[in-house]
Amino acid sequence: MKSRLILLPVLALALLGVVLGPIGAKLLGFERLIDAPAVHLAPQKIFAIGGFTVTNTLLSAWLTCIVILLLFGLGSRRMAMVPGRLQGFLEVLVEALYGFIRGMAGERYARRWFPLLATIFVFVAFNAWMALLPIYPTVGFKAEGADHVTTHLLRSAGTDINMPLALALIAFVFIEVWGFRVHRFGYLREFFRFGNPVQTFIGLLELISHFIRIISFTFRLFGNMLAGEIVLFMMTFLTFFVTPIIFYGLEILVGGVQALVFMGLTLVFAVLAVAPHEGHKEEHAEAGQH
Amino acid sequence: MLAAPRLAEEATGIGALGIDPWSLLAYLVTFGLLVVLLYTLAYKRILGVLDARSGRIRDSLEEADRVRREAQEQQEAMQRTLLEGREEGQRVLAEAREAAERYREQQATQARAEAAQLIDRAREEIRQERDAALEQVSSEFASLAVSAAERIIHRSLDPDAHRDLIDEVLAEGDARAGRN
């Protein structure tokens, strides 16, 4: 009975949203109440410092960094053996990420790789989750003559291709540096195989695949974040109330999953880079015989 | 037809994505700083506490294992002592029973000997009593004989009568001895 009392008004609100939205306007023949949302692929300029332009996505990234630093700084300020709530939350997060990394990379690399990989997760996830706050799509500036916000003050950094690209470049450099660090110049044998044409071709493909990772990393995150933003815009535009909440829940999940995927793939590629290659295995075997 | 999202800028190709070297650099620096700050401010401390806690838990578990082992050893030692005590008690009890049995037998033997002595003594006393009685009877016989003689003398000296009288006295004496 109690749940019915809650459910009925919610359903009525959802229906009202659809009726008042563009679907209702089309079916019932009245004029639309709001304009269709505008999708900006590129970030919007907020202000400039000298020749350097600060965009709404960069501003959002900085805000996210401040929130992350405040959260982690306050949570780990006075570390106690019996943790409080915030410390407990941070410990659970750090423990889970560390366990994930250690499970794949082993104890040897986990401690060294953890800071970068954990920060990738935290940065991507918090950027995605912060963008779900209502101030993101509502606070901004109106263009002259416009009756709605045309330049948003804040926008998810993940929807700016420069952010995923920067992370992809960092991941690429991280993976290759560790490959070189472990195998020295033997790492190049993975790409330059001059035994026979098939091996040469495989090496070339391997080399290309390493560079292709930059693009795949970039567009996977960028595409998911941008698509999420567009879906939220469109569902809010089409249904007004209630229904977008479902998609907000979905976006919370997507943010976490994308962060985990970015971190996980960087980890997997790094593990592959430091794993012994075929040539190295032979060298190790020969060294073992001597 | 429903309104579709529209692109805000009219840009073509990859330029529409807004790739900008300065923004890219800004993100690289921002992320790099975030890694350094998080590592310095948080990760090191949190991992340190996690390590310390896991170390303490490991120590506590080892300590608990040690205490459990010691308790088990003590319990085993106590059980051993109990068992030894029980065996010792049973041994002492068996010895006591044996001693008691020996004592009982000794007492019984002694009692039998004493009883035999008593019987012998009683027999001896009986024999002595009998002898005394016999002696007394004999002396009484004598006195009877004397009294019989006195009677005889006071009456007459008829041999048959004397004989009858003597028999009578003897019978009387026998009767008396039988009564005693």
Side-chain angles (χ1 to χ4, degrees):
Chain A
M1 188 66 191
K2 200 175 174 183
S3 62
R4 201 176 292 174
L5 279 174
I6 298 167
L7 195 64
L8 282 175
V10 169
L11 284 174
L13 198 62
L15 191 65
L16 182 70
V18 175
V19 170
L20 289 177
I23 300 170
K26 183 72 184 170
L27 291 174
L28 301 173
F30 61 86
E31 199 174 332
R32 262 200 338 250
L33 298 174
I34 56 167
D35 290 334
V39 175
H40 303 272
L41 278 183
Q44 293 169 296
K45 177 185 170 181
I46 302 298
F47 60 91
I49 305 167
F52 178 68
T53 304
V54 176
T55 60
N56 52 2
T57 50
L58 189 58
L59 201 63
S60 166
W62 288 344
L63 181 68
T64 306
C65 284
I66 291 168
V67 170
I68 292 169
L69 286 172
L70 275 175
L71 187 73
F72 276 81
L74 288 174
S76 60
R77 193 175 43 166
R78 277 194 289 270
M79 296 298 287
M81 271 297 169
V82 181
R85 286 180 187 174
L86 186 56
Q87 188 190 329
F89 166 73
L90 293 178
E91 282 185 12
V92 167
L93 182 67
V94 167
E95 179 91 67
L97 291 174
Y98 188 73
F100 182 77
I101 295 165
R102 188 179 51 195
M104 293 179 87
E107 195 71 52
R108 185 182 170 191
Y109 296 111
R111 196 50 74 108
R112 293 179 182 185
W113 292 357
F114 176 77
L116 186 102
L117 295 172
T119 309
I120 287 177
F121 177 85
V122 170
F123 188 59
V124 172
F126 275 74
N127 263 307
W129 292 336
M130 290 261 303
L132 300 176
L133 293 173
I135 58 163
Y136 271 67
T138 52
V139 178
F141 313 101
K142 288 180 184 175
E144 270 186 58
D147 58 350
H148 60 271
V149 172
T150 50
T151 304
H152 296 283
L153 180 66
L154 296 166
R155 183 182 165 190
S156 171
T159 61
D160 176 1
I161 197 162
N162 294 297
M163 188 276 243
L165 182 59
L167 288 188
L169 286 171
I170 288 168
F172 174 78
V173 171
F174 169 74
I175 293 160
E176 303 310 322
V177 162
W178 270 98
F180 271 106
R181 197 168 163 176
V182 171
H183 303 299
R184 308 283 171 193
F185 285 101
Y187 186 59
L188 292 173
R189 283 187 210 162
E190 191 73 6
F191 313 116
F192 303 107
R193 308 173 186 189
F194 301 114
N196 60 55
V198 174
Q199 285 296 320
T200 309
F201 182 66
I202 290 170
L204 191 66
L205 281 182
E206 189 71 24
L207 183 67
I208 292 167
S209 78
H210 277 238
F211 283 98
I212 291 288
R213 281 175 195 168
I214 300 173
I215 298 168
S216 68
F217 267 127
T218 304
F219 280 94
R220 185 183 303 107
L221 184 59
F222 173 66
N224 276 290
M225 292 297 110
L226 188 68
E229 188 185 59
I230 292 170
V231 164
L232 286 182
F233 274 166
M234 285 311 296
M235 290 316 295
T236 310
F237 168 65
L238 286 174
T239 60
F240 281 18
F241 317 118
V242 184
T243 316
I245 293 171
I246 300 164
F247 291 89
Y248 269 90
L250 194 68
E251 281 310 306
I252 292 173
L253 187 70
V254 168
V257 168
Q258 284 308 312
L260 198 64
V261 165
F262 205 110
M263 184 193 79
L265 284 175
T266 309
L267 175 62
V268 168
F269 290 140
V271 169
L272 287 175
V274 298
H277 301 148
E278 285 305 313
H280 277 244
K281 276 180 193 166
E282 286 163 16
E283 280 174 18
H284 288 306
E286 281 174 18
Q289 281 172 359
H290 292 305
Chain B
M1 181 163 166
L2 290 176
R6 55 190 166 75
L7 281 174
E9 301 96 2
E10 291 299 326
T12 53
I14 202 153
L17 295 173
I19 295 174
D20 173 43
W22 288 109
S23 287
L24 193 63
L25 188 66
Y27 280 116
L28 288 171
V29 172
T30 303
F31 183 79
L33 275 174
L34 186 66
V35 173
V36 172
L37 287 172
L38 276 181
Y39 179 67
T40 320
L41 288 175
Y43 293 156
K44 222 160 40 170
R45 290 182 194 171
I46 296 171
L47 286 172
V49 164
L50 288 175
D51 285 347
R53 193 178 295 137
S54 65
R56 189 178 272 194
I57 291 168
R58 200 182 306 113
D59 289 349
S60 299
L61 287 173
E62 283 172 2
E63 179 71 13
D65 272 351
R66 193 181 61 75
V67 168
R68 198 182 299 124
R69 253 196 326 272
E70 279 181 7
Q72 201 172 349
E73 282 170 9
Q74 280 178 354
Q75 195 180 357
E76 283 172 5
M78 204 168 70
Q79 280 178 343
R80 267 200 307 274
T81 311
L82 268 174
L83 196 67
E84 283 171 8
R86 196 175 293 138
E87 283 172 358
E88 180 70 15
Q90 282 173 349
R91 193 180 58 75
V92 168
L93 196 64
E95 279 179 6
R97 273 183 190 150
E98 203 177 321
E101 184 66 22
R102 266 203 314 273
Y103 180 74
R104 194 181 63 78
E105 277 180 12
Q106 192 182 346
Q107 289 297 312
T109 310
Q110 195 176 344
R112 273 198 296 272
E114 280 177 4
Q117 265 183 348
L118 279 173
I119 291 165
D120 287 347
R121 200 180 299 148
R123 276 182 184 153
E124 182 64 25
E125 280 176 5
I126 289 164
R127 192 180 57 76
Q128 283 174 357
E129 286 288 329
R130 193 192 60 189
D131 287 350
L134 283 175
E135 202 171 323
Q136 192 180 353
V137 167
S138 298
S139 65
E140 280 184 14
F141 268 141
S143 60
L144 283 172
V146 170
S147 70
E150 280 174 356
R151 281 184 208 174
I152 293 163
I153 292 166
H154 284 293
R155 283 183 192 175
S156 63
L157 290 173
D158 185 2
D160 292 331
H162 287 172
R163 193 172 305 273
D164 290 340
L165 194 62
I166 288 165
D167 287 340
E168 189 185 339
V169 170
L170 283 174
E172 195 178 332
D174 283 343
R176 242 185 236 178
R179 271 202 306 274
N180 289 332

